[in-house]
Amino acid sequence: LVCIESEKGKYALLIDDLIGRQQVVIKPLGAALSNIKELSGSAIMGTGEIALILNTEELFCAEGSSA
């Protein structure tokens, strides 16, 4: 469980696994994914894998509007 606090409130995000904490350079998404507002970018990890960065503000706003 990851707890997130923002100006709009406090939220909890249930996750399967927490690998660790890393500093990454967030890169913009390509044209195919740039219209997904719940994603804020991507990062290339040290292993070469690509990680998608969640935009938690949009993720929780989208959840609240559908409830």
Side-chain angles (χ1 to χ4, degrees):
L1 190 64
V2 175
C3 297
I4 301 169
E5 184 173 357
S6 73
E7 294 175 359
K8 297 181 181 181
K10 295 179 183 179
Y11 305 96
L13 185 62
L14 184 60
I15 61 170
D16 291 328
D17 193 12
L18 183 62
I19 297 170
R21 177 183 248 182
Q22 292 184 329
Q23 289 188 352
V24 296
V25 176
I26 299 176
K27 300 189 178 281
L29 295 168
L33 298 175
S34 63
N35 62 339
I36 302 173
K37 61 184 177 182
E38 291 85 1
L39 296 176
S40 62
S42 62
I44 301 174
M45 308 306 286
T47 61
E49 294 177 309
I50 297 173
L52 296 175
I53 310 299
L54 293 175
N55 180 346
T56 55
E57 290 284 331
E58 288 293 333
L59 185 68
F60 293 123
C61 286
E63 177 64 26
S65 66
S66 65

